[in-house]
Amino acid sequence: NALLKTAADPSGTEVLGTLNNCANGRTPWGTYLTCEENWNGYFATPTNGAGQPADVRQGQVRYGISSTGFGYRWHTVDPRFDADVNPNEPHRFGWVVEIDPFAPASKPVKRTALGRVKHENAELVVAANGKVVVYMGDDERNEYIYKFVSSGSFDRSNPTSAANRRLLESGTLYVARFDAGTTTGDGMGTGVWIPLAFDSNGLTAANGFANQAEVLIKCRQAADRVGATMMDRPEWISANPKKAGEVYVTLTNNNRRGGTTSNAVDGSTSAGSARPPVDEANPRANNVWGHIVRWNEAGGDATALTFDWDIFVLAGQPSVTDARAPSANITLDNLFNSPDGLAFDGFGRLWIQTDGSYSNAGDYANMGNNQMLAADPVSKEIRRFLRDLLKIKWND
């Protein structure tokens, strides 16, 4: 695509490297998925995009590319990271990357069909009908939850076949809308997976999407356009191996909610600047402690287009009884904040890692250091497993 072409790569087909790799995913054909998160800070726009076309600058702002980046100053020694000079180079990052650990000489592949965001992890499941489904969160405040459904089907009789290894090349990318249920404030509702498909739901040339490639490159703007639900910083996603179609997501925290400015349909909202109102799935204006949401796909089918959802846990302090109050499964014995890492084991236990404040003061009193907890998906009981041994920083 033209938006992937640079002076160093006029074909737009081969990028040098992968940046700021966060969490993981595994495929049943034996490869590893690594996710490019917070890659924007390696780039800088020293002139704030002066002279760039409006749509190019809009995209840079929407993905958080600033005049100084994270302060790494790569752009001062390699013009590839100067987005004023090479405005297309940032389009080549923000992808899920597939790596074959059993073929060390092979080239990793950026799986563009899964969309360009700040990926936290990629949870892959094979649906009952053989379709491969990948769930993903965009790790930033007021961003979205996505899933990809492959066009082809997994051949269980020959897991490592060439055809299986190409399943992530083609399919449909969806973004989630979480709707309220019939009872306000019960932390439950229904949801819809909205396809991010060119020439549908306003994803047209007239609205800045020339083709499907641009929908994927401008994934955040596409999600804005179709009216998906902005979430409280979606991080890890994990599917329950003991219950088909049940999926959990950590919503780590968010201090930019409670206003009236939600996602602009023109995609102009800058990264992290929106202040959407509270909603049923994100009920706190200042969510300093975070929460976990789960959903059950219709009929237990991972490829379904609708789902039911509920809040599995609202972290926080049991002493708080106002609108910020935690859920009933939080007690003095399992206090935590900022759930981040999330994974099921083979017994169906849900493991939760935290990545938040260990100040043990104010809102965070008695929470200890960052920790790991185990949860029962059926009873919602949560117990601390590891805490206070180390001050752990799991990831950024």
Side-chain angles (χ1 to χ4, degrees):
N1 184 268
L3 293 180
L4 296 180
K5 295 178 180 179
T6 66
D9 177 26
S11 67
T13 58
E14 186 167 286
V15 63
L16 292 176
T18 178
L19 287 175
N20 216 76
N21 304 87
C22 187
N24 65 303
R26 292 183 295 174
T27 72
W29 47 90
T31 58
Y32 181 86
L33 304 176
T34 182
C35 300
E36 295 183 327
E37 178 211 30
N38 294 331
W39 47 269
N40 58 300
Y42 295 79
F43 293 89
T45 52
T47 69
N48 285 313
Q52 299 287 0
D55 63 325
V56 172
R57 182 56 187 157
Q58 182 188 88
Q60 292 173 345
V61 170
R62 186 65 183 84
Y63 279 87
I65 298 173
S66 67
S67 60
T68 58
F70 291 158
Y72 298 157
R73 298 183 62 82
W74 286 19
H75 67 286
T76 65
V77 295
D78 186 345
R80 188 159 69 107
F81 296 97
D82 186 330
D84 285 336
V85 176
N86 288 296
N88 281 353
E89 191 68 34
H91 299 157
R92 294 147 68 89
F93 295 90
W95 307 99
V96 172
V97 184
E98 185 171 11
I99 297 171
D100 187 346
F102 301 106
S106 63
K107 289 183 181 179
V109 179
K110 299 204 176 186
R111 289 302 186 192
T112 53
L114 277 60
R116 172 178 166 262
V117 295
K118 296 180 183 179
H119 291 281
E120 178 75 10
N121 81 318
E123 175 75 336
L124 188 150
V125 299
V126 179
N129 62 5
K131 301 294 185 182
V132 168
V133 178
V134 184
Y135 294 101
M136 299 162 286
D138 186 354
D139 182 10
E140 193 157 358
R141 290 165 290 189
N142 302 321
E143 289 299 341
Y144 304 105
I145 294 171
Y146 301 86
K147 83 171 178 181
F148 167 85
V149 179
S150 66
S151 298
S153 298
F154 180 66
D155 181 0
R156 299 177 189 272
S157 66
N158 187 12
T160 60
S161 69
N164 282 343
R165 288 171 172 266
R166 300 190 64 179
L167 287 173
L168 299 184
E169 289 184 7
S170 176
T172 302
L173 183 66
Y174 299 87
V175 64
R177 191 185 75 219
F178 289 79
D179 298 326
T182 56
T183 303
T184 301
D186 65 354
M188 302 173 66
T190 59
V192 176
W193 290 107
I194 307 170
L196 297 180
F198 174 65
D199 225 14
S200 67
N201 297 313
L203 303 179
T204 63
N207 291 326
F209 305 93
N211 45 48
Q212 182 62 22
E214 289 201 10
V215 171
L216 298 170
I217 293 167
K218 303 174 183 177
C219 194
R220 283 184 168 181
Q221 296 98 309
D224 291 340
R225 170 65 62 175
V226 302
T229 301
M230 285 184 161
M231 306 296 286
D232 284 354
R233 194 178 160 205
E235 295 214 47
W236 279 65
I237 297 177
S238 189
N240 188 345
K242 298 296 186 180
K243 186 176 180 181
E246 184 169 273
V247 188
Y248 293 66
V249 61
T250 50
L251 301 170
T252 297
N253 49 53
N254 190 358
N255 63 354
R256 293 178 178 171
R257 190 177 285 276
T260 58
T261 305
S262 64
N263 49 324
V265 295
D266 64 359
S268 61
T269 306
S270 63
S273 68
R275 287 188 176 271
V278 297
D279 57 45
E280 200 74 15
N282 304 275
R284 291 167 167 163
N286 185 16
N287 189 11
V288 298
W289 297 308
H291 62 298
I292 297 175
V293 166
R294 68 177 168 187
W295 64 88
N296 280 275
E297 304 276 22
D301 178 6
T303 67
L305 299 185
T306 60
F307 56 90
D308 295 322
W309 66 267
D310 71 300
I311 293 177
F312 180 73
V313 59
L314 281 167
Q317 294 282 3
S319 59
V320 174
T321 58
D322 58 19
R324 297 199 307 153
S327 48
N329 50 348
I330 294 297
T331 71
L332 292 175
D333 295 323
N334 66 5
L335 298 180
F336 67 91
N337 72 88
S338 298
D340 187 342
L342 196 68
F344 277 93
D345 64 22
F347 295 98
R349 290 176 296 223
L350 180 64
W351 294 90
I352 304 165
Q353 294 175 335
T354 72
D355 184 16
S357 172
Y358 39 77
S359 66
N360 286 298
D363 283 337
Y364 308 104
N366 301 313
M367 289 190 175
N369 298 325
N370 277 318
Q371 58 192 283
M372 182 181 290
L373 307 102
D376 181 341
V378 178
S379 68
K380 292 190 175 183
E381 179 186 6
I382 300 172
R383 295 186 186 182
R384 283 169 164 161
F385 179 77
L386 181 155
R387 84 174 172 117
D388 289 335
L389 301 179
L390 302 168
K391 288 188 176 179
I392 300 168
K393 186 70 172 174
W394 296 106
N395 58 49
D396 290 324

